[in-house]
Amino acid sequence: MSKVVVITSGKGGVGKTTTSANIATGIAQQGKKTVAIDFDVGLRNLDLVMGCERRVVYDFVNVIRNEAKLQQALIRDKRVENLYILPASQTRDKDALDPEGVGRIIEELKQMGFEYIICDSPAGIEKGAQMAMYFADEAIVVTNPEVSSVRDSDRVLGLLAAKTSRAELGGPAIRTHLLLTRYSPLMVKRGEMLSVGDVLELLGIPLLGVIPESKAVLQSSNKGSPAILDETTDVAQAYLDVVFRYLGQERQHRFIEEEKRSIFGRLFG
């Protein structure tokens, strides 16, 4: 059975596209046929993060407008079997997306055997973001540990409860998960950042994982290779934890507390 998962938040720059790329890659690595759809029409960044920007011929909007077939627009990842990307258009605006067209494509992806359809939402709460979440079964709400990001995520939770296909049809509520990104236990200790507990209290949804602040995120994005592919980094380990946890495995939450260093570490930095 296919599952449609939206990666969303109200605020820009919190790591939605990075998260979409890493979670889609991680799920595909576990043998699940997975597609990541870029809903950020007019900007299009998912293909850059995934390193396939030179392979884009047709895009999401071309398929919606019947200018190309879905198979022509899908890009198969060269590194991970079972992973595909459906890029956004850079030359159209978000009005090019409509419920009928988006629903038709998602249904076609289900018929093609995709087990996980990851929808990379644009920032904000306008039409593009609403289209990304409209057909979702589950939502991963990406939040930075700072007040404005948490407040915007709370508004997104309201949309997930009221402005989706499930809400309109009176179906079961969308299952929501919290992913906390750019987290620094040291800054929390100094009182410069909200703690995990603070964010959980404010949003009231289950914690899927914590992604630490790390240079590896920027480095992987610049290389066009999802960070999860380099398992030596803390970010890769964090995203792997998130993927396994999402797929139902028990994983202890890491990167929440400041790492205790040995006496040699304290002496020599």
Side-chain angles (χ1 to χ4, degrees), residues 140-159:
I140 297 174
V141 180
V142 183
T143 305
N144 288 160
E146 49 105 6
V147 173
S148 64
S149 179
V150 174
R151 181 185 62 184
D152 289 350
S153 292
D154 194 43
R155 294 187 69 190
V156 166
L157 291 174
L159 290 178

Side-chain angles (χ1 to χ4, degrees), residues 8 10 30 101 103 126 128 163 175-176 178 192 209 223 228 239:
T8 185
Q30 303 311 307
E126 304 306 325
K163 296 285 188 180
R175 188 180 175 200
T176 54
L178 173 65
E192 299 169 355
K223 289 191 297 183
I228 201 169
Y239 273 118

Side-chain angles (χ1 to χ4, degrees), residues 69-86:
K69 293 182 179 180
L70 181 56
Q71 292 89 337
Q72 292 176 291
L74 284 172
I75 300 172
R76 187 171 186 170
D77 191 87
K78 292 182 176 180
R79 298 155 301 198
V80 180
E81 193 176 359
N82 300 313
L83 178 61
Y84 295 77
I85 299 95
L86 181 56

Side-chain angles (χ1 to χ4, degrees), residues 17 21 25 45-56 75-79 83 85 220-226 229:
T17 298
T25 301
N45 287 314
L46 183 62
D47 57 309
L48 286 170
V49 174
M50 300 292 285
C52 62
E53 69 278 4
R54 295 182 180 178
R55 299 170 60 200
V56 176
I75 300 172
R76 187 171 186 170
D77 191 87
K78 292 182 176 180
R79 298 155 301 198
L83 178 61
I85 299 95
S220 65
S221 294
N222 286 339
K223 289 191 297 183
S225 177
L229 294 174

Side-chain angles (χ1 to χ4, degrees), residues 15-57:
K16 287 186 297 296
T17 298
T18 297
T19 293
S20 297
N22 281 284
I23 287 181
T25 301
I27 291 175
Q29 284 179 316
Q30 303 311 307
K32 313 290 185 183
K33 191 175 181 182
T34 305
V35 59
I37 306 176
D38 190 348
F39 275 80
D40 203 355
V41 175
L43 291 178
R44 199 176 86 188
N45 287 314
L46 183 62
D47 57 309
L48 286 170
V49 174
M50 300 292 285
C52 62
E53 69 278 4
R54 295 182 180 178
R55 299 170 60 200
V56 176
V57 179

Side-chain angles (χ1 to χ4, degrees), residues 184-208:
S184 168
L186 181 59
M187 291 182 70
V188 172
K189 187 177 179 180
R190 292 172 179 165
E192 299 169 355
M193 180 179 282
L194 295 176
S195 69
V196 171
D198 293 332
V199 179
L200 289 173
E201 185 177 349
L202 289 165
L203 293 180
I205 59 175
L207 179 65
L208 183 61

